[in-house]
Amino acid sequence: MQRIKRSWQCRHCGERDSTAHFLAVQEYFTLVGTKLTNQKFRHFCGIESPFVASRLLSQLNLETTGELKMRTYKLKEID
């Protein structure tokens, strides 16, 4: 999937999905690690803009720690 105009588009079939980053973050936490930063998210999803990445991450229900460049995201604990 590639980010194009506020949506994700499949490079092969052209299918569009505005919420593909939800699944990408789940895959990151499953395959890579338990903590995510804006920079790691951009690298994992192929996003260039830190502002776009920040906006996408804010849509997710993730626990955050730190501020600005030191902010990290992780899955919320379920009670």
Side-chain angles (χ1 to χ4, degrees):
M1 299 292 266
Q2 182 178 5
R3 186 82 179 156
I4 299 176
K5 294 185 181 177
R6 297 186 155 252
S7 183
W8 296 95
Q9 184 174 9
C10 178
R11 293 178 182 153
H12 300 288
C13 69
E15 182 75 24
R16 285 185 170 247
D17 183 2
S18 62
T19 61
H21 58 285
F22 287 49
L23 181 58
V25 169
Q26 288 178 341
E27 289 176 353
Y28 181 90
F29 286 129
T30 301
L31 300 172
V32 180
T34 59
K35 292 186 180 181
L36 180 64
T37 64
N38 185 304
Q39 183 178 22
K40 289 179 182 178
F41 177 66
R42 284 184 284 134
H43 180 71
F44 189 73
C45 292
I47 300 171
E48 292 182 21
S49 170
F51 303 107
V52 170
S54 179
R55 186 172 46 80
L56 293 174
L57 286 167
S58 70
Q59 293 176 355
L60 306 171
N61 190 23
L62 299 174
E63 184 177 320
T64 61
T65 56
E67 295 181 16
L68 302 173
K69 289 186 178 187
M70 299 302 291
R71 179 166 290 156
T72 59
Y73 302 86
K74 67 179 186 175
L75 290 175
K76 289 190 174 182
E77 302 267 335
I78 299 174
D79 295 333

